[in-house]
Amino acid sequence: MQKLTALVVDAAAGFREQAKSILTAAGFNVEVAENGQQALTLASAGRFRLICCSDDLPDIAGSDFCGQLRALDGYDYAAVLIMTDNDNARKLKQALLAGATDIFNKHDTQELEIYVRRLAERETRHLSGRVLFIEDSRVLQTIIIDLLTDMGLDVDAYTFAEEAWAAFSGGDYDLVITDIMLEGSMSGITLVRKIRRLREESGNLPIIATSGFDNMSRKIELFQLGVNDFVSKPINREELRQRVFNHITSYQNVRELRAQQNSLYSLAMLDQLTQLFNRHALREFAGKYFSEAYRFNRTLSMAVLDLDHFRDLNDKYGHDKGDQVLAELGNWLKRHVRDEDMIARWAGEEFVMLLPGCDAPAAVVLMQRMQKRLQRFKPANMTISLSVGVAEMRHEPQDNLNTLFELADRAMYQAKMAGRNCVRQYQTEEGETL
Ligand SMILES: Nc1nc2c(ncn2[C@@H]2O[C@H](COP(=O)(O)OP(=O)(O)OP(=O)(O)O)[C@@H](O)[C@H]2O)c(=O)[nH]1
């Protein structure tokens, strides 16, 4: 990692001190000079990452100082900040043309503070990540591997796109850098196309293409294909370093944000004990089940499943054992429904299933089969049983989750009354099933 060094050049001792303290606070080691000549001597002896220079030096104009500094060996990419106390547009433009990076007002140092703090953060940030790198020139491969590992990155380097593609599916990468013209039967373009066709997250990975053909229509084609960036050969190390830095950090920020969103989603929608959807999620998604049933005139059934004598199990074996039973049962139930069905933990020991395309008699048969299997499956080594109530949507305008739940819940109660461990379809007092 580069050492953060800065040089302040100003004839006024007061401003030198002020600038020095701002830069020191941002993490720079600071040297000072009173005039341009002294600064140029110091600059050629050392290598400063940042030079903060007055536009009003006693011996040399600010723009000339910039020009002479840039001509020194190793100052191509240094940040040269011109400090001014008058906003003479012409003078400032001259300084920019002569190579100044930016211009700041001496009387408003807040902007300078923000700039140096951000630069220091960027320079000292420890990158970590994995790069898939494809380049068929051995010499260039070595140079770029050095650059990337120096940035803290792990690199998987390949000469052929075929090998890289084989490695891609097994690796958790943060960036792909690929040459476009490669030896072998697969080109860099085919590799990019294959990556972009992937549906999973890795299909969105940032890709930097490199090529010796600096041809505009080829570049445009590459961007259309989904390449994020392009670096022409011969590769400028510093340019590639900055581009890699930007792509890796923004990709990782997006990933982190997505992970946070997922964990918030999981907290909001999933029951933490069973990892099934919770009641809130059932309410959220039920609308879709009902509207599709109306639209396509499909049947929709609901089953309410309630553990029998669970209080006794808790009392006899403890609440932790009860929790274990619920967690294992939840997992087991999830594996016994189809992808389009929905299962949620409604409350303590009560679960709800929405079964689209399934009428009530079919749901009864399904639940009876499940009950049979449950006798063999002993969650947490406990023999348990379920009372199940089933009801079918009647396709009446007021049908919704609440009305269907009410019927299925009443059916579940009828199953309890009938001695538990059985399935009941809701029956009206007149004996009509619904
Ligand atoms: N371990 C555990 N127990 C729970 C949880 N949620 C609810 N319960 C317990 O589930 C039991 C439900 O008891 P009841 O409503 O009387 O029902 P039951 O004992 O299963 O009897 P029936 O439903 O009539 O067969 C209570 O003891 C609750 O404390 C939970 O998250 N973990």
Side-chain angles (χ1 to χ4, degrees):
M1 186 131 342
Q2 245 174 312
K3 204 163 156 243
L4 284 179
T5 49
L7 176 64
V8 174
V9 198
D10 200 302
F15 187 76
R16 281 201 304 273
E17 279 315 304
Q18 191 184 1
K20 184 176 176 178
S21 75
I22 291 171
L23 291 165
T24 309
F28 286 85
N29 286 338
V30 186
E31 291 189 40
V32 293
E34 291 175 20
N35 57 51
Q37 207 44 59
Q38 202 182 350
L40 289 168
T41 309
L42 283 171
S44 39
R47 188 171 288 184
F48 296 98
R49 177 68 186 85
L50 182 146
I51 295 95
C52 185
C53 160
S54 166
D55 69 336
D56 190 22
L57 295 175
D59 54 344
I60 183 170
S63 53
D64 289 343
F65 175 79
C66 285
Q68 292 185 38
L69 183 74
R70 288 284 184 218
L72 293 178
D73 198 22
Y75 282 90
D76 290 350
Y77 310 119
V80 182
L81 312 183
I82 298 292
M83 304 302 302
T84 180
D85 50 13
N86 74 64
D87 292 339
N88 179 328
R90 195 179 57 83
K91 259 171 98 176
L92 302 181
K93 199 171 167 196
Q94 265 177 355
L96 283 178
L97 288 173
T101 308
D102 210 342
I103 295 166
F104 294 91
N105 193 312
K106 278 188 181 178
H107 302 298
D108 176 15
T109 53
Q110 209 184 355
E111 285 293 313
L112 175 70
E113 284 175 35
I114 294 169
Y115 180 97
V116 296
R117 210 179 320 123
R118 290 198 59 186
L119 178 69
E121 270 167 19
R122 192 179 165 99
E123 293 289 306
T124 53
R125 182 165 165 178
H126 179 74
L127 273 191
S128 69
R130 204 153 160 224
V131 181
L132 183 68
F133 172 45
I134 309 101
E135 169 58 60
D136 54 12
S137 149
R138 291 279 174 198
V139 178
L140 193 54
Q141 211 182 72
T142 311
I143 294 172
I144 294 184
I145 292 172
D146 270 0
L147 169 79
L148 297 172
T149 43
D150 198 43
M151 292 174 76
L153 299 167
D154 292 325
V155 187
D156 290 347
Y158 294 94
T159 308
F160 298 104
E162 291 89 336
E163 299 168 333
W165 175 240
F168 185 83
S169 47
D172 184 17
Y173 293 104
D174 299 275
L175 175 69
V176 176
I177 304 176
T178 183
D179 189 2
I180 288 309
M181 308 299 283
L182 289 164
E183 288 170 10
S185 54
M186 195 195 281
S187 72
I189 294 180
T190 312
L191 180 70
V192 171
R193 201 177 309 119
K194 276 177 174 287
I195 294 174
R196 288 295 180 246
R197 241 188 258 145
L198 295 172
R199 286 187 174 276
E200 61 263 34
E201 168 134 359
S202 55
N204 297 319
L205 214 62
I207 303 177
I208 300 179
T210 64
S211 175
F213 296 102
D214 198 0
N215 165 315
M216 187 51 75
S217 59
R218 171 48 54 90
K219 272 195 211 171
I220 290 170
E221 270 169 28
L222 286 167
F223 285 124
Q224 278 168 348
L225 207 63
V227 154
N228 301 77
D229 208 348
F230 184 89
V231 177
S232 305
K233 290 182 183 176
I235 287 176
N236 177 306
R237 281 171 57 93
E238 192 54 27
E239 179 191 358
L240 184 65
R241 196 170 85 87
Q242 298 301 337
R243 286 178 193 263
V244 165
F245 184 95
N246 283 354
H247 286 297
I248 296 241
T249 48
S250 56
Y251 181 64
Q252 289 178 342
N253 287 344
V254 169
R255 264 196 8 185
E256 200 179 311
L257 215 66
R258 211 169 289 151
Q260 281 170 1
Q261 267 173 350
N262 287 346
S263 81
L264 280 177
Y265 173 86
S266 136
L267 277 175
M269 296 294 205
L270 297 185
D271 167 56
Q272 297 303 304
L273 178 65
T274 60
Q275 293 301 306
L276 295 177
F277 283 120
N278 58 23
R279 189 195 292 215
H280 171 70
L282 183 69
R283 289 202 186 288
E284 191 78 17
F285 298 131
K288 185 170 148 279
Y289 282 84
F290 281 87
S291 62
E292 284 191 359
Y294 277 122
R295 208 162 134 222
F296 302 111
N297 201 23
R298 282 174 83 191
T299 51
L300 175 67
S301 290
M302 178 188 279
V304 171
L305 303 86
D306 190 284
L307 269 162
D308 295 328
H309 301 304
F310 195 53
R311 185 182 296 277
D312 296 347
L313 189 147
N314 268 331
D315 291 347
K316 205 161 164 197
Y317 301 99
H319 207 265
D320 284 352
K321 190 72 165 178
D323 277 359
Q324 213 182 328
V325 168
L326 288 172
E328 289 186 25
L329 177 66
N331 204 300
W332 186 85
L333 287 172
K334 194 158 46 181
R335 282 189 278 121
H336 281 79
V337 296
R338 293 170 302 177
D339 283 350
E340 63 263 40
D341 298 342
M342 180 168 184
I343 172 159
R345 185 181 180 198
W346 182 262
E349 21 64 275
E350 192 169 31
F351 301 89
V352 168
M353 284 184 190
L354 271 177
L355 308 162
C358 189
D359 63 14
V364 169
V365 171
L366 191 77
M367 291 299 118
Q368 283 170 337
R369 215 180 297 142
M370 185 178 277
Q371 271 182 328
K372 262 205 190 114
R373 289 203 200 113
L374 185 61
Q375 285 167 9
R376 289 195 298 275
F377 170 68
K378 295 185 181 347
N381 284 325
M382 290 286 129
T383 301
I384 56 156
S385 66
L386 290 166
S387 293
V388 184
V390 164
E392 183 183 327
M393 177 182 162
R394 286 174 291 180
H395 285 87
E396 285 170 1
Q398 71 274 22
D399 277 354
N400 59 31
L401 183 71
N402 289 342
T403 56
L404 193 57
F405 177 79
E406 201 172 305
L407 297 181
D409 195 47
R410 276 198 235 162
M412 188 276 292
Y413 188 69
Q414 288 169 351
K416 292 271 183 198
M417 293 297 100
R420 298 178 172 78
N421 192 20
C422 60
V423 183
R424 285 291 177 272
Q425 182 181 345
Y426 178 66
Q427 275 197 334
T428 60
E429 275 166 21
E430 296 75 43
E432 189 195 352
T433 52
L434 290 176

